[in-house]
Amino acid sequence: MKRRPLSLLSVFAAGVCFAVIVLVAPSKAISHHKYKTSSHEAVPNRYVIEFNYGDSKSADSFVHLFQTKFKNSKIHITERFEHDLFNGISFDLNGLDSKELKAALEAVLDHTHVKAAYPVRIIRRSEVMIEKTVSKRESLSSLPHGMTQVDRVHSELKIFGKGIKVGVIDSGVDYLHPALGGGFGKGFKVQYGYDLVGNEYTGENSPIPGPDPLDSCTVESGASGHGTHVSGIIAGYDAKTNFTGVAPQATLGMWRIFGCKGFAASDVIVKALLMAYDAGMDIISASVGGDDAWSNSPEAIVAQRIAKKGVPFIVSSGNVFYAGDRTAFTVTAPSTSKDVWSIASAENAYYKVNYFNVSSISKRIVCATVSLNLVNGAIFAGDKNVGSKNDACNASTVPDLKGKIALVQRGGCDFIEKSLNVAKAGAIGLVIYNNYGDSIFVPAKFETTIPIIGISAADGLAILAGIKAGTEILTFDPNPHYLPRDNGYLISDFSSIGASNELDLKPNIAGVGGQVFSTLPRYRDNWGFMSGTSMAAPYVSGSIALFIEAKGFKRNNKVISRQFKNYAMKLVHTKGNSVIESPLLQGAGLVQVYDAISGKVSVSPTQISFNDSSSFAKYKTQTLTIHNTGKARAVFKVINEPSIALAPYNRSGQGYAIVGPVGFSNAKAKLIFSKTSVTINSGQKATVRVTVVPPKTNPKDHIIYGGYIRFKTSNHESAIDATVPYFGIVGRQCDLPLFDLNYPYLSDSKGKRFYSKSQTYIYDRSNNATTPSIVYRLLTPTAMFDVDVLNAKTKKSIGKTMTNSFYLNRNSNYGDIFKSNITWDATYVSTELSGTQSEIPVPSGTYILSLRALKLLGNPDDPKDWETFQTSPISVINKINLESDPSYIHVVIYLILLLFI
Ligand SMILES: *[C@@H]1O[C@H](CO)[C@@H](O)[C@H](O)[C@H]1NC(C)=O
Ligand SMILES: *[C@@H]1O[C@H](CO)[C@@H](O)[C@H](O)[C@H]1NC(C)=O
Ligand SMILES: *[C@@H]1O[C@H](CO)[C@@H](O)[C@H](O)[C@H]1NC(C)=O
Ligand SMILES: *[C@@H]1O[C@H](CO)[C@@H](O)[C@H](O)[C@H]1NC(C)=O
Ligand SMILES: *[C@@H]1O[C@H](CO)[C@@H](O)[C@H](O)[C@H]1NC(C)=O
Ligand SMILES: *[C@@H]1O[C@H](CO)[C@@H](O)[C@H](O)[C@H]1NC(C)=O
């Protein structure tokens, strides 16, 4: 029998599907204090190691030693990080059989230069909603700059981000787009950057780096143009259409981490972050995320270290595209790292349309266009067979259109071909009606010489009927119109919800990420809408560029984030209602750049976590310092403005059902202030102590209350109130059940449930259909998870079935990821011997598997903080020969890929 290579780390099931992935987490084969595994999906056989600081020679001596010792090894270094923020390498380890591989990894971990080792994680391409075709009600969104005061910073302060460097970690950029400067390098808008991966990179193969971060993918590759959209949001500018990014004079850097397809591995991201930092970026913007709310991975660690150096590090908080999975604690790493900005998404408030009239139709017709030179005139059919599937795609079917506006149906060829053909026939404009339904769309193309206008199918057919009956004259209303959207100024329903598992307030602040119009690569028709926290993060990055140009404070993340958070605008929970949205959805609120720049009072800390009931005594009272940096003395009233609360669980059924979308509650905390009014002279500081009285809800409900502390000023020169968000939980997080009702349970290999606790389960090692599994379903994330093998008679542990797993996410509410299972092949790792060791088959006999998982914020040393489950006795019969049948144990963990953005 052929030896199956041991998979030390995560292995992919074949046929990974887009949103859901089956992951085989660490087997028991590595157990070492330096090995930091997690349940996150990972690239097989690829590791990151961090060396002890100051060892610049570490990498080479390490590789040399390694190759001397393991002659068969194919150790291939993928990335080198010779940096004071992270000194290490990532490498692939191939060519070794299972025994050698294990020995090799032990040697790696035992090496004195090695500080820690991690599996390389897979970071999914940001998922965005692309809306080229938009419904009539949600048409071409106006730029959201009125919502965020960016328009005032542009028009009143004349600040456009000049000279501020924003580093973007994304899929490359089509800088040949006219709105993105038309070139790369010195003198261009996109001046810095590097392609770390190449077009063909998928995340699992080797990157082929190059100096040019151009997104040169094709439509056929399926690439969305994410990085180009993000770049346009930050710094795009197009004089022709007046499209203006947040900081149109900022300088961009692009570190490309995605090829045209697939995902990015975390070692590449670490490298990109360090390169952007070294290039002297003033702000780093990353619309990427993993799939958990823990922050223990190398990229999260590096993000944190960069932020600590003072560089604002802006990360999207994560998207949840399935409403049922939109529950508390869905923000994702690395936005969960302390000091990193985790960005929520708010919905754009308006959409922009144009109107025109035609003579025979009494209503105004709504249209979308990026053209500016809208010309009036007679409108004519632009094809001899207008309404065919390929109107105006062939010059031979286009009639004489001299001085006329052409009307054609969408489809058959692209807009540029249609427009060239009708222009050749003398047309002065082109109206394209949709090929179905009631939606209009934005036909955007640069190369056109005549304006192109998109309308709905219904309007197109009505005009066509009019044309057939007589002459129709088209008259444009030259002014654009902005129509309000129903969900404008609300937090987007895909924006993930805090807090972090450690109860840090995340997200921290919101940008506009719902229905954002920006640049797309030329292969994606230049312009379009995308929605996601991916769009909100660059919006905030651009805002910071404006702030830095206005105020300085380069590399002073603390001051910058304080000003932004103090002056963010509180959004409401639902339209037409004054109830404030929870800080767990909006953080401090929507960015208000003008107020952040001009605000003359600062309050810190900028956010408060009152934590949960178990730590109540420690966190219930906090001290706020208010600093009056204005020229005049000011009086502040201190006011509690409670927000809506979250009700994450539904206990009215049979158990702790986690509710998705999350439930809400009106529970409010009272705050007791040491002073309710403070007078502060110019340049002086004052402190106010705040003590929380949580709402009197049942602690079993784990209600997450929140709100804002407002420092209301009446006579202060800037007359803007500063606010500080707070939240807390009624109940103890470590009381939260980890396992859902009726889980875990023992099952055979076919998934058949074994109910009896008194009966013995028979595992015949010669018949793998009898291989037992523990099926579990996590309601709550857990930081530690392991399974002991007990002697059924003595109830004593003989060892573990596997290495401890760390940082598991909770299971999804749906689909394959609804539950997870651990199969046991009747082997164990002894806990009596020290160091790393092999798995050993248990002697024939009867055993019990004892699973335990650490409760949230639990103390690993306190047995009460673990949730446990013991299987029925399992009788293992039939010997096996390990040499010939190494059916290693794996923990199969199904992960939700909430990745984003
Ligand atoms: C572009 O913006 C400028 C300045 O706000 C304005 O004067 C001009 O009319 C705008 N052009 C178009 C085509 O909207
Ligand atoms: C355009 O139509 C003419 C005449 O029917 C035909 O010969 C030609 O092949 C067509 N061209 C294309 C690109 O379809
Ligand atoms: C279009 O028609 C509407 C309704 O008849 C009228 O109010 C409007 O002024 C017209 N606009 C133009 C540009 O003719
Ligand atoms: C909440 O309390 C726990 C337990 O004391 C602590 O580990 C955690 O860091 C606290 N979180 C915050 C944000 O203070
Ligand atoms: C809670 O669960 C009960 C029983 O399953 C159900 O009837 C009720 O609609 C649920 N409530 C919410 C808010 O989901
Ligand atoms: C069980 O063993 C058979 C024969 O070796 C193999 O084909 C099959 O894939 C195994 N099934 C499982 C679930 O491991």
Side-chain angles (χ1 to χ4, degrees):
M1 196 179 176
K2 216 173 157 257
R3 211 165 221 287
R4 189 151 51 93
L6 172 63
S7 325
L8 286 160
L9 285 170
S10 306
V11 171
F12 279 97
V16 165
C17 98
F18 182 60
V20 169
I21 215 153
V22 179
L23 167 71
V24 183
S27 81
K28 61 192 171 182
I30 307 184
S31 176
H32 199 287
H33 70 281
K34 290 185 191 170
Y35 187 64
K36 316 280 185 197
T37 180
S38 80
S39 71
H40 199 287
E41 49 172 345
V43 182
N45 295 336
R46 188 174 299 169
Y47 310 89
V48 173
I49 58 182
E50 183 176 13
F51 296 120
N52 294 307
Y53 282 170
D55 258 339
S56 66
K57 292 268 183 301
S58 288
D60 293 326
S61 70
F62 169 82
V63 169
H64 177 75
L65 192 136
F66 194 87
Q67 280 167 336
T68 321
K69 198 161 170 195
F70 300 98
K71 295 215 164 54
N72 294 335
S73 73
K74 293 196 188 100
I75 179 168
H76 168 71
I77 296 194
T78 12
E79 299 291 351
R80 283 170 183 268
F81 320 110
E82 280 163 40
H83 204 281
D84 55 356
L85 292 184
F86 195 90
N87 183 17
I89 53 172
S90 65
F91 58 89
D92 285 326
L93 204 49
N94 292 310
L96 298 175
D97 72 23
S98 62
K99 246 190 198 147
E100 292 167 331
L101 183 54
K102 203 158 109 54
L105 276 164
E106 283 169 16
V108 168
L109 290 158
D110 287 339
H111 195 286
T112 53
H113 286 173
V114 172
K115 183 179 180 184
Y118 308 82
V120 167
R121 294 156 48 118
I122 282 168
I123 304 296
R124 298 231 135 219
R125 184 178 290 278
S126 304
E127 204 176 301
V128 287
M129 295 190 283
I130 303 174
E131 285 160 273
K132 284 291 287 186
T133 304
V134 290
S135 77
K136 210 177 218 172
R137 283 211 52 78
E138 295 178 77
S139 174
L140 179 54
S141 311
S142 72
L143 297 171
H145 301 334
M147 300 171 67
T148 53
Q149 303 178 329
V150 165
D151 57 350
R152 287 184 66 194
V153 176
H154 290 173
S155 64
E156 294 175 35
L157 304 181
K158 307 279 184 251
I159 284 191
F160 301 95
K162 198 175 179 64
I164 310 304
K165 291 175 262 184
V166 186
V168 182
I169 312 297
D170 213 297
S171 62
V173 54
D174 183 3
Y175 50 70
L176 296 175
H177 191 297
L180 292 171
F184 173 59
K186 212 162 165 49
F188 288 105
K189 188 185 290 285
V190 183
Q191 193 173 330
Y192 303 91
Y194 191 74
D195 179 359
L196 287 94
V197 293
N199 281 357
E200 306 304 321
Y201 178 69
T202 61
E204 282 181 301
N205 54 6
S206 289
I208 302 168
D212 184 347
L214 182 71
D215 174 353
S216 57
C217 298
T218 58
V219 175
E220 293 71 35
S221 72
S224 68
H226 190 269
T228 302
H229 202 265
V230 160
S231 301
I233 290 171
I234 299 172
Y237 179 68
D238 180 47
K240 234 158 79 185
T241 57
N242 256 3
F243 169 80
T244 304
V246 177
Q249 291 176 4
T251 301
L252 289 176
M254 170 61 71
W255 283 268
R256 184 185 184 198
I257 57 163
F258 289 105
C260 297
K261 279 196 187 97
F263 42 80
S266 56
D267 56 342
V268 165
I269 297 178
V270 169
K271 182 81 176 178
L273 298 182
L274 295 171
M275 287 178 89
Y277 176 80
D278 286 344
M281 294 297 109
D282 299 311
I283 300 151
I284 298 179
S285 192
S287 294
V288 296
D291 60 6
D292 60 37
W294 303 101
S295 21
N296 62 319
S297 57
E299 68 279 11
I301 291 166
V302 170
Q304 163 64 14
R305 289 176 185 166
I306 288 176
K308 234 185 160 151
K309 290 276 182 188
V311 178
F313 196 105
I314 316 306
V315 184
S316 40
S317 70
N319 297 344
V320 185
F321 280 113
Y322 303 100
D325 277 330
R326 194 172 185 241
T327 59
F329 304 104
T330 45
V331 289
T332 59
S335 90
T336 46
S337 286
K338 210 165 151 33
D339 302 325
V340 166
W341 300 43
S342 175
I343 310 299
S345 168
E347 285 293 318
N348 205 348
Y350 296 98
Y351 63 102
K352 179 190 148 213
V353 294
N354 282 82
Y355 297 131
F356 67 76
N357 288 5
V358 288
S359 9
S360 75
I361 299 174
S362 56
K363 71 165 193 167
R364 344 179 258 193
I365 290 168
V366 182
C367 66
T369 182
V370 292
S371 306
L372 298 170
N373 50 336
L374 299 172
V375 289
N376 301 332
I379 183 164
F380 259 70
D383 193 284
K384 287 173 189 156
N385 307 306
V386 72
S388 72
K389 282 206 171 63
N390 43 14
D391 282 2
C393 293
N394 186 331
S396 71
T397 60
V398 176
D400 178 21
L401 293 167
K402 205 165 176 60
K404 291 169 185 147
I405 295 167
L407 175 72
V408 299
Q409 193 186 38
R410 185 180 188 179
C413 56
D414 75 15
F415 306 136
I416 182 69
E417 264 183 87
K418 289 181 197 269
S419 85
L420 288 175
N421 284 334
V422 299
K424 222 186 291 168
I428 55 167
L430 174 63
V431 175
I432 305 178
Y433 66 93
N434 212 343
N435 36 14
Y436 64 92
D438 195 29
S439 63
I440 59 171
F441 61 100
V442 195
K445 273 291 182 184
F446 278 120
E447 301 90 330
T448 51
T449 50
I450 56 172
I452 312 184
I453 292 105
I455 61 173
S456 73
D459 288 341
L461 293 172
I463 298 171
L464 203 57
I467 290 172
K468 283 181 180 154
T471 303
E472 290 284 10
I473 305 295
L474 183 157
T475 316
F476 280 100
D477 174 344
N479 301 312
H481 291 266
Y482 300 96
L483 303 182
R485 298 176 65 226
D486 289 346
N487 56 356
Y489 281 107
L490 296 181
I491 290 297
S492 306
D493 56 14
F494 53 76
S495 192
S496 58
I497 302 175
S500 78
N501 289 333
E502 313 283 344
L503 300 188
D504 257 323
L505 177 50
K506 296 279 173 175
N508 301 108
I509 201 164
V512 183
Q515 279 281 327
V516 181
F517 185 71
S518 182
T519 49
L520 284 177
R522 288 161 303 146
Y523 66 81
R524 283 268 172 220
D525 291 347
N526 306 306
W527 297 103
F529 294 94
M530 285 190 178
S531 292
T533 52
S534 273
M535 282 63 245
Y539 200 93
V540 173
S541 301
S543 303
I544 298 170
L546 299 178
F547 179 91
I548 294 177
E549 190 200 338
K551 303 283 285 185
F553 295 116
K554 269 191 189 182
R555 302 227 158 184
N556 194 337
N557 184 47
K558 228 178 183 153
V559 169
I560 298 167
S561 82
R562 187 181 65 211
Q563 287 300 108
F564 272 91
K565 286 199 232 162
N566 279 177
Y567 291 104
M569 175 205 275
K570 264 40 74 186
L571 303 180
V572 294
H573 177 62
T574 50
K575 262 285 160 70
N577 194 313
S578 61
V579 177
I580 303 171
E581 183 60 282
S582 166
L584 281 308
L585 278 90
Q586 65 170 329
L590 179 63
V591 285
Q592 298 293 299
V593 191
Y594 188 92
D595 291 349
I597 290 171
S598 57
K600 292 282 192 294
V601 56
S602 62
V603 186
S604 52
T606 54
Q607 55 183 46
I608 293 175
S609 166
F610 288 119
N611 218 299
D612 69 355
S613 303
S614 58
S615 318
F616 185 66
K618 191 166 163 199
Y619 296 98
K620 69 174 177 181
T621 299
Q622 312 240 0
T623 303
L624 290 161
T625 302
I626 308 106
H627 186 185
N628 178 4
T629 58
K631 290 203 178 64
R633 170 220 275 270
V635 180
F636 301 96
K637 284 210 153 56
V638 192
I639 300 168
N640 175 22
E641 292 182 346
S643 71
I644 194 126
L646 305 185
Y649 292 97
N650 181 354
R651 294 193 308 111
S652 68
Q654 21 173 357
Y656 261 89
I658 190 148
V659 187
V662 71
F664 293 96
S665 144
N666 289 322
K668 294 180 177 65
K670 281 204 192 83
L671 299 183
I672 300 166
F673 300 110
S674 59
K675 303 167 200 150
T676 53
S677 177
V678 270
T679 304
I680 310 173
N681 287 329
S682 166
Q684 299 299 299
K685 291 178 182 173
T687 59
V688 172
R689 260 175 302 114
V690 48
T691 302
V692 68
V693 182
K696 295 202 171 15
T697 54
N698 188 336
K700 289 186 170 160
D701 288 333
H702 286 260
I703 296 291
I704 312 179
Y705 63 85
Y708 296 83
I709 300 167
R710 178 176 293 274
F711 292 85
K712 195 168 181 54
T713 170
S714 46
N715 64 346
H716 191 264
E717 65 205 270
S718 70
I720 315 160
D721 300 340
T723 58
V724 172
Y726 69 84
F727 88 102
I729 300 179
V730 184
R732 293 153 37 98
Q733 288 301 85
C734 79
D735 288 343
L736 280 173
L738 294 179
F739 298 117
D740 203 353
L741 203 71
N742 303 327
Y743 291 88
Y745 60 83
L746 188 64
S747 112
D748 68 11
S749 75
K750 298 210 167 66
K752 189 164 165 255
R753 191 170 178 140
F754 187 78
Y755 284 99
S756 172
K757 272 271 177 188
S758 54
Q759 250 180 324
T760 298
Y761 181 98
I762 310 290
Y763 174 28
D764 177 355
R765 278 191 274 212
S766 66
N767 173 8
N768 64 6
T770 65
T771 309
S773 288
I774 300 174
V775 180
Y776 68 89
R777 172 170 159 71
L778 282 173
L779 280 178
T780 306
T782 177
M784 288 171 88
F785 185 95
D786 63 33
V787 183
D788 272 301
V789 179
L790 309 184
N791 178 317
K793 277 203 201 87
T794 63
K795 301 276 180 344
K796 290 243 164 66
S797 171
I798 63 165
K800 305 257 180 218
T801 62
M802 55 173 197
T803 335
N804 295 349
S805 296
F806 297 100
Y807 304 115
L808 272 62
N809 246 359
R810 78 168 188 82
N811 287 88
S812 163
N813 281 355
Y814 300 105
D816 287 347
I817 43 187
F818 186 79
K819 57 192 179 190
S820 308
N821 69 312
I822 300 165
T823 55
W824 186 51
D825 67 348
T827 57
Y828 71 104
V829 180
S830 169
T831 40
E832 274 165 24
L833 306 165
S834 59
T836 49
Q837 318 143 36
S838 303
E839 56 287 343
I840 310 162
V842 297
S844 296
T846 307
Y847 300 91
I848 288 171
L849 298 180
S850 173
L851 177 160
R852 56 176 208 152
L854 184 64
K855 295 181 167 198
L856 264 188
L857 302 179
N859 172 5
D861 297 329
D862 184 347
K864 285 199 303 298
D865 284 356
W866 291 83
E867 194 163 314
T868 58
F869 165 77
Q870 293 199 346
T871 64
S872 331
I874 300 170
S875 170
V876 179
I877 58 174
N878 226 318
K879 285 199 189 122
I880 58 154
N881 177 352
L882 187 64
E883 279 309 304
S884 64
D885 184 15
S887 50
Y888 296 101
I889 298 168
H890 293 115
V891 182
V892 180
I893 293 163
Y894 299 86
L895 286 178
I896 319 169
L897 297 168
L898 302 171
L899 302 202
F900 328 13
I901 308 172

